[in-house]
Amino acid sequence: MTAPLFLLETLADPRPAVGAVLELGGDEGRHAAVVRRIGAGEQVLVADGRGRGVRAEVTAASKAGLTLRVVEHLDAPDRALRVVAVQALAKGDRSELAVEMLTEVGVSEIWPWQASRSIVRWSAERGEKSLGRWRSTAREATKQSRRLLQPALRPVLSTAGLCRELAGVDLALVLHEDATTALRDVDLPERGTVALVVGPEGGITPEELEQFAAAGARAVSVSDAVLRTSTAGVVAVAGLLLR
């Protein structure tokens, strides 16, 4: 069974040498020792969430955390293409489900988008709390999937703000059921950033499609059916990565 992963944002730079002692304390360490009941002799993974990590053996455990001996250095794979998922705000737990699955498949960033037809509205304090839940969801999904790289989440974007960002990526694709081009037929750049825009439950408006097109984005389809906002993005990302 794969060793469990714990996140330690303060993992030293440079990383502790192989054979060095590393302390895993705080909430992560207490969870590992008290909740997971991980003890001496077991192995764990510790990562900083930015692509660097170590495999380590537990030498001691207490209520305060774990004492570890570094066994191996680990690094996230260097992908030629970075995938950014633009996720429209959705009602209920749909958005957080999307964030969880997008993290699991390995996107580099997730951009929340306040679409015209999004029922949910992020503003002021509510927006900060909602973004915090997205970040917490991405963190837990990073650990569950044993990824060394936790996707970055930025504050919610308006359509105008999103268009400015899309104009700066190497390839921008908008998922839409009426698109005449399939994702599998799109030529991908050899390197750079690909952004995938996922609309809300009510769909992307014609005006938004026009704005995206003006920013250089192309509409593409990923299925012969209409997918939920929580699943469309992960289907598209998986299709991209398999190519």
Side-chain angles (χ1 to χ4, degrees):
M1 186 175 183
T2 306
L5 173 71
F6 299 94
L7 291 174
L8 182 64
E9 288 82 355
T10 57
L11 188 65
D13 187 11
R15 282 168 289 187
V18 172
V21 174
L22 175 65
E23 296 292 338
L24 180 65
D27 291 340
E28 289 287 85
R30 286 189 290 273
H31 180 77
V34 178
V35 180
R36 299 289 299 270
R37 297 183 181 275
I38 295 173
E42 297 185 67
Q43 288 199 348
V44 299
L45 308 178
V46 181
D48 61 4
R50 297 182 296 277
R52 302 181 318 135
V54 298
R55 183 185 303 277
E57 181 180 348
V58 180
T59 57
S62 69
K63 292 182 179 179
L66 303 178
T67 299
L68 310 170
R69 179 180 61 83
V70 177
V71 174
E72 178 187 7
H73 285 175
L74 304 170
D75 293 284
D78 183 19
R79 288 180 177 163
L81 282 182
R82 296 175 66 258
V83 179
V84 172
V86 180
Q87 179 62 51
L89 306 187
K91 63 182 179 180
D93 62 355
R94 290 290 173 186
S95 292
E96 289 166 41
L97 178 59
V99 170
E100 179 180 58
M101 293 191 293
L102 290 168
T103 300
E104 290 176 4
V105 294
V107 299
S108 297
E109 295 184 39
I110 302 174
W111 299 351
W113 169 39
Q114 184 74 71
S116 296
R117 291 176 177 167
S118 288
I119 297 173
V120 175
R121 295 285 157 179
W122 283 11
S123 59
E125 185 177 349
R126 179 179 181 180
E128 287 299 317
K129 289 182 178 179
S130 298
L131 183 58
R133 286 196 297 271
W134 280 37
R135 286 178 172 148
S136 178
T137 299
R139 178 184 176 88
E140 292 307 310
T142 298
K143 293 163 62 175
Q144 185 279 324
S145 55
R146 311 314 197 255
R147 289 198 173 277
L148 303 181
L149 183 65
Q150 179 178 334
L153 276 102
R154 63 172 58 192
V156 64
L157 291 164
S158 65
T159 298
L162 175 56
C163 287
R164 288 192 292 271
E165 297 294 336
L166 294 180
V169 303
D170 297 282
L171 178 64
L173 303 173
V174 182
L175 308 187
H176 198 273
E177 65 269 22
D178 291 334
T180 56
T181 300
L183 176 62
R184 64 177 176 271
D185 296 326
V186 175
D187 291 331
L188 301 179
E190 293 186 4
R191 303 190 65 85
T193 299
V194 177
L196 292 168
V197 180
V198 183
E201 296 99 323
I204 300 173
T205 67
E207 293 77 17
E208 288 168 334
L209 283 175
E210 290 178 3
Q211 289 176 275
F212 292 148
R218 299 176 58 186
V220 296
S221 64
V222 293
S223 173
D224 58 0
V226 178
L227 303 181
R228 285 186 178 274
T229 184
S230 53
T231 55
V234 71
V235 170
V237 173
L240 273 182
L241 296 180
L242 285 172
R243 290 182 59 186

